[in-house]
Amino acid sequence: MRGVVFLHAFPYNPRMWEEEMGYFRGRLPVLAPHYLGLSLSQAADKVLGAMDEAGLEEAVFVGLSMGGYLIFELWRRAPERFLGLVLADTRAGADTEEGRKNRHALRERVLAEGVGFLPEALLPSHLGKTTREEKPEVMARAKALILEASPEAVAGSLLALAERPDSTPLVPGMRRPALVLVGEEDTLTPPEEAKAMAKALPDARLLILPEAGHLSNLENPKAFRTALLGFLAEVL
């Protein structure tokens, strides 16, 4: 059986894919595993286990931000399970030294204070200018999703993100149809990085989504879904 596996961003959970899951359910087999708090290796085990349980032999993997990092880990483990891949608002490279230090500092603060401060700390960089100025409902939804996370899970994922390997050497060998999506206003993994990643992939197309930042599926869901549907029509 073939289907679609949605991989969520940090520090969110599979509910960030509710619209996509609702749309595809009944049309295609879909999965959206929850792996906040796990190492990328553990998360890959969980995803592959969920696929086995659902009878999903092959899939198009759709990963946004941390979900993209998990796609690279899954490729290391089980490239034969890939029909295609969608890398949204993500990058292949590891954290810089400064980035690692920042994640460790944030981890210590979360363990000491909880997650109450996280929306204020993260949303200015997670959401694009248009969303912050014109879409209070998206701001509210992203905030609510962050506050659903436990401090322990957030701390675990921060460690996993800080320690993730550089996946850049994998990219030229990822010989599957690929779609690279990026919000036009994404400052965390900006369009220039997406362009470089798309160029390095053997069979990729790139789309820059307007009026969206780092959480492009929440910020411009219509553009995101249109791009995804076009890609799935080619691959599945």
Side-chain angles (χ1 to χ4, degrees), residues 19-20 23-24 209 220-230:
E19 277 76 11
E20 290 81 4
Y23 179 85
F24 286 110
L209 305 179
N220 194 337
K222 186 177 178 183
F224 191 98
R225 187 185 299 168
T226 300
L228 181 57
L229 284 172

Side-chain angles (χ1 to χ4, degrees), residues 135 209-212 215-225:
K135 300 175 183 175
L209 305 179
E211 298 186 355
L215 297 180
S216 57
N217 79 305
L218 297 179
E219 297 180 72
N220 194 337
K222 186 177 178 183
F224 191 98
R225 187 185 299 168

Side-chain angles (χ1 to χ4, degrees), residues 33-46:
H34 192 315
Y35 48 83
L36 192 70
L38 302 181
S39 71
L40 289 178
S41 177
Q42 291 168 329
D45 285 342
K46 186 166 185 178

Side-chain angles (χ1 to χ4, degrees), residues 172-228:
M174 297 179 80
R175 300 188 180 282
R176 297 290 188 280
L179 174 64
V180 178
L181 298 176
V182 64
E184 186 178 31
E185 301 171 12
D186 187 345
T187 57
L188 282 181
T189 51
E192 287 308 312
E193 283 206 44
K195 288 175 187 174
M197 190 163 60
K199 191 174 179 182
L201 284 158
D203 179 13
R205 60 238 61 187
L206 168 76
L207 280 174
I208 299 173
L209 305 179
E211 298 186 355
H214 193 61
L215 297 180
S216 57
N217 79 305
L218 297 179
E219 297 180 72
N220 194 337
K222 186 177 178 183
F224 191 98
R225 187 185 299 168
T226 300
L228 181 57

Side-chain angles (χ1 to χ4, degrees), residues 109 115-126 139 143 146-147:
R109 189 177 171 194
V115 299
F117 75 93
L118 270 184
E120 189 180 341
L122 297 180
L123 290 181
S125 59
H126 282 195
M139 291 274 292
K143 178 179 179 179
I146 290 173
L147 293 177

Side-chain angles (χ1 to χ4, degrees), residues 52-131:
D52 291 342
E53 199 173 308
L56 210 58
E57 292 158 5
E58 297 174 295
V60 173
F61 293 88
V62 182
L64 193 146
S65 191
M66 179 171 69
Y69 306 149
L70 182 50
I71 282 179
F72 294 120
E73 183 65 26
L74 285 161
W75 181 266
R76 285 186 184 92
R77 295 286 194 85
E80 71 281 358
R81 308 295 288 265
F82 279 73
L83 289 168
L85 52 142
V86 180
L87 293 163
D89 302 282
T90 192
R91 60 163 56 94
D95 274 357
T96 62
E97 190 56 42
E98 183 187 4
R100 279 192 288 273
K101 285 179 182 173
N102 290 340
R103 290 203 203 271
H104 284 293
L106 188 60
R107 180 175 181 271
E108 294 305 315
R109 189 177 171 194
V110 165
L111 288 173
E113 299 179 29
V115 299
F117 75 93
L118 270 184
E120 189 180 341
L122 297 180
L123 290 181
S125 59
H126 282 195
L127 298 173
K129 184 173 183 286
T130 302
T131 300

